[in-house]
C-alpha cells in the first residue's frame, strides 16, 4: 500500500460523524488516512438584541447575506496514517461575522512546525470578468487562493476553470477537462481535478512540502463544503465544540494571530465598500 504522501489520486470522503473523514487512494480504493477533530471552538450564544445590533452594523443590504451573518468557530483536525500515527494537522481559522469568504488554514506537522498555509485573498472579487479566460476559452478564477510555504511565499495558485456561457456547459462535467489546477510559480500544473470529480490528481513529480499542502487543501475543501454555506437555502449547523487539552501542537495559540488581524481589517473594509452594492455573488 502506498503511503499517504505518495499516492497520486487523493479522495476525501465524509463519514457520518461530524468532522470525521477518510482519505483514500483512488487508484486502489484503499484507505490511507483518517481525519478527526482535536479541537473545535465554541459558537457564541447570542441574544436577539446582539444579533440585531450586528445586522444593523452590516446594513440592510449586507445583513441579508447568510455568509456574512454566520460565525464558524476554529476547527482543527488531525490526519493519521494507516498505523494511527499523526501525520499533520489542518487548522482552520475561525470565520468571524462580517466576512463572507473561506478562512485561512495552517498546515502543521506533529511537532508544531508549520509546513505552510492555505490562503484566500479576501480583497479579490470571486467572479471573473469576460476577459478572464485561458487559451482554451475557459473562464478562470486565479490569483485568489494559494498554497504558501511557512514563510508565506506562494508555491501554488489554485485556479478554477469553467465553461463560459458561449461554450457547451457539458464541459464542466467532462472527465477529460480540468476544472481545478494547482499551478506552480513557473507555470507547472502540479495537481488537478477533472470534470465534477472531487478526486485530486497529483503529479508524481510534485515535490515536498507542496505535496503535503495539496493533500491538506483536499481535506480543507471538504470541510469547507460542510461548514461554509453562503446561500439562504443551505442548511447550517455549527460543529459540536471540542476542547483540546492540552493544545494539539506547540504554537497552537498564535498560529492564526496574523490572519485574524487581516480578517478584522477586511471586515471593516468590506462593510464600508460593499454596502449598497450588488452582493448576490456571495
Amino acid at each position: 500500500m502506498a503511503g499517504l504522501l505518495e499516492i497520486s489520486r487523493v479522495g476525501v470522503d465524509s463519514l457520518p460523524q461530524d468532522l470525521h473523514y477518510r482519505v483514500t487512494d483512488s487508484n486502489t480504493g484503499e484507505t490511507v488516512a483518517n481525519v478527526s477533530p482535536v479541537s473545535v471552538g465554541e459558537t457564541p450564544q447570542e441574544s436577539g438584541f446582539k444579533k440585531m445590533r450586528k445586522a444593523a452594523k452590516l446594513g440592510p443590504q449586507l445583513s441579508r447575506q447568510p455568509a456574512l451573518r454566520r460565525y464558524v468557530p476554529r476547527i482543527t483536525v488531525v490526519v493519521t496514517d494507516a498505523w494511527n500515527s499523526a501525520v499533520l494537522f489542518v487548522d482552520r481559522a475561525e470565520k468571524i461575522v462580517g466576512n463572507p469568504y473561506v478562512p485561512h488554514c495552517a498546515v502543521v506537522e506533529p511537532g508544531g512546525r508549520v509546513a505552510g498555509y492555505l490562503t484566500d485573498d479576501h480583497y479579490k472579487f470571486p467572479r471573473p470578468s469576460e476577459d478572464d479566460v485561458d487559451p482554451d476559452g475557459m473562464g478562470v478564477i486565479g490569483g485568489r487562493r494559494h498554497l504558501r510555504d511557512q514563510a508565506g511565499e506562494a508555491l501554488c495558485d489554485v485556479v478554477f476553470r469553467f465553461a463560459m456561457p458561449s461554450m457547451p456547459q457539458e464541459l464542466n462535467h467532462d472527465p477529460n477537462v480540468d476544472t481545478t489546477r494547482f499551478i506552480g510559480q513557473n507555470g507547472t500544473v502540479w495537481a488537478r481535478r477533472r470534470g465534477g470529480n472531487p478526486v485530486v490528481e497529483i503529479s508524481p513529480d510534485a515535490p515536498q512540502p507542496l505535496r503535503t499542502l495539496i493533500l491538506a487543501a483536499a481535506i480543507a475543501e471538504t470541510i469547507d463544503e460542510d461548514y461554509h454555506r453562503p446561500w439562504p437555502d443551505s442548511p447550517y449547523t455549527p460543529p459540536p465544540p471540542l476542547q483540546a487539552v492540552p493544545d494539539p501542537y506547540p504554537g497552537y495559540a498564535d498560529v492564526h494571530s496574523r490572519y485574524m488581524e487581516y480578517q478584522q481589517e477586511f471586515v471593516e473594509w468590506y462593510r464600508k465598500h460593499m454596502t449598497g452594492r450588488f452582493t448576490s455573488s456571495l
Side-chain angles (χ1 to χ4, degrees):
M1 181 177 69
L4 172 62
L5 300 179
E6 299 170 352
I7 60 177
S8 60
R9 288 173 51 84
V10 178
V12 182
D13 301 318
S14 297
L15 300 178
Q17 193 172 356
D18 286 328
L19 290 169
H20 286 72
Y21 306 92
R22 178 175 55 232
V23 181
T24 60
D25 179 346
S26 291
N27 284 324
T28 65
E30 292 179 302
T31 298
V32 294
N34 290 291
V35 181
S36 57
V38 291
S39 180
V40 180
E42 294 273 357
T43 297
Q45 299 298 315
E46 296 182 331
S47 66
F49 177 70
K50 284 187 176 181
K51 290 180 180 178
M52 289 176 60
R53 285 184 61 188
K54 286 185 176 180
K57 185 176 181 180
L58 289 173
Q61 287 282 339
L62 300 185
S63 64
R64 290 195 292 268
Q65 301 297 327
L68 284 166
R69 298 196 309 267
R70 190 169 292 145
Y71 170 88
V72 183
R74 181 177 180 179
I75 296 170
T76 307
V77 298
V78 62
V79 183
T80 54
D81 62 18
W83 298 273
N84 205 33
S85 297
V87 177
L88 57 93
F89 295 94
V90 180
D91 191 336
R92 188 182 195 266
E94 65 179 305
K95 188 200 83 64
I96 60 178
V97 172
N99 174 20
Y101 301 126
V102 173
H104 294 186
C105 284
V107 182
V108 186
E109 296 173 358
R113 177 181 176 276
V114 174
Y117 301 91
L118 317 177
T119 66
D120 182 275
D121 184 348
H122 298 341
Y123 292 94
K124 186 175 176 63
F125 196 66
R127 288 288 182 100
S129 71
E130 293 182 357
D131 297 326
D132 293 327
V133 295
D134 65 12
D136 297 324
M138 297 284 281
V140 295
I141 300 176
R144 178 180 178 90
R145 189 164 295 184
H146 293 92
L147 311 185
R148 299 181 182 273
D149 65 18
Q150 62 267 40
E153 295 296 320
L155 299 177
C156 255
D157 183 7
V158 184
V159 176
F160 301 97
R161 305 174 74 244
F162 50 92
M164 299 295 281
S166 60
M167 303 177 71
Q169 295 301 294
E170 290 80 3
L171 288 173
N172 293 320
H173 305 283
D174 188 324
N176 298 309
V177 172
D178 292 357
T179 47
T180 305
R181 287 175 174 168
F182 295 76
I183 303 177
Q185 297 302 291
N186 63 356
T188 302
V189 178
W190 292 117
R192 53 171 45 91
R193 288 191 182 92
R194 302 179 194 264
N197 194 336
V199 169
V200 177
E201 302 176 23
I202 305 177
S203 166
D205 298 324
Q208 289 289 11
L210 186 55
R211 182 175 288 271
T212 296
L213 297 181
I214 293 170
L215 169 69
I219 294 168
E221 288 176 10
T222 307
I223 296 173
D224 293 339
E225 290 174 5
D226 290 338
Y227 295 102
H228 191 82
R229 297 177 178 272
W231 305 108
D233 57 352
S234 298
Y236 170 76
T237 302
L242 175 64
Q243 184 64 39
V245 183
D247 288 349
Y249 57 82
Y252 172 80
D254 298 321
V255 74
H256 291 306
S257 57
R258 186 178 301 177
Y259 168 66
M260 293 308 294
E261 293 177 4
Y262 168 94
Q263 188 177 187
Q264 292 280 3
E265 292 170 358
F266 171 74
V267 166
E268 290 302 313
W269 178 91
Y270 191 89
R271 180 176 61 83
K272 292 175 182 177
H273 288 78
M274 295 301 290
T275 298
R277 294 188 181 184
F278 179 71
T279 57
S280 65
S281 63
L282 301 180

